[in-house]
Amino acid sequence: SSDEASASGDPDTRTMEVIAATVKEHRKDARACYEKGAKQVPGLKGDLVVHFVLTPSGKVKTADLNKERSTITEASVVSCVIDVITASQFPRSSRGMETTVNYPFNFTP
């Protein structure tokens, strides 16, 4: 029966592609964070990598800057982008698992 299949460890339907698609729906908001920061810091550009953990239900449990992988560390931009991610609702995990994500935003003027 189909019940057995889901118990045998099928891959989660909440894939990185699905998560990325959700983040991309809020790309304009994240971009606005960057544009605001770029007005204050001329020449600001590069990668801003957000490390976040999703609960099984699709809420953001924690989110912070992945400092090792980010070239943009401007506090105002970082906290703004993290707010955008934290406010997003992600799909639930079909396996009832938490998901850890490193999502890179690449911002250029």
Side-chain angles (χ1 to χ4, degrees):
S1 75
S2 63
D3 290 348
E4 284 168 352
S6 61
S8 69
D10 277 356
D12 202 326
T13 55
R14 186 168 72 190
T15 61
M16 286 301 154
E17 286 80 8
V18 169
I19 291 165
T22 304
V23 175
K24 281 179 186 139
E25 286 169 18
H26 303 278
R27 196 165 40 191
K28 283 197 185 103
D29 298 336
R31 175 87 198 166
C33 295
Y34 162 71
E35 285 176 353
K36 202 153 72 181
K39 287 197 182 99
Q40 292 153 0
V41 185
L44 185 71
K45 64 176 197 282
D47 294 319
L48 195 164
V49 182
V50 181
H51 169 265
F52 60 98
V53 177
L54 298 175
T55 66
S57 69
K59 295 257 183 287
V60 178
K61 184 179 173 185
T62 60
D64 48 47
L65 179 70
N66 181 330
K67 291 192 180 75
E68 293 77 47
R69 290 174 54 188
S70 299
T71 51
I72 294 179
T73 55
E74 194 61 37
S76 62
V77 180
V78 170
S79 64
C80 180
V81 171
I82 284 174
D83 286 348
V84 169
I85 293 216
T86 306
S88 304
Q89 174 65 43
F90 289 84
R92 59 189 316 116
S93 163
S94 60
R95 296 181 63 197
M97 308 279 279
E98 287 192 342
T99 309
T100 302
V101 183
N102 277 290
Y103 189 90
F105 291 90
N106 180 260
F107 292 125
T108 51

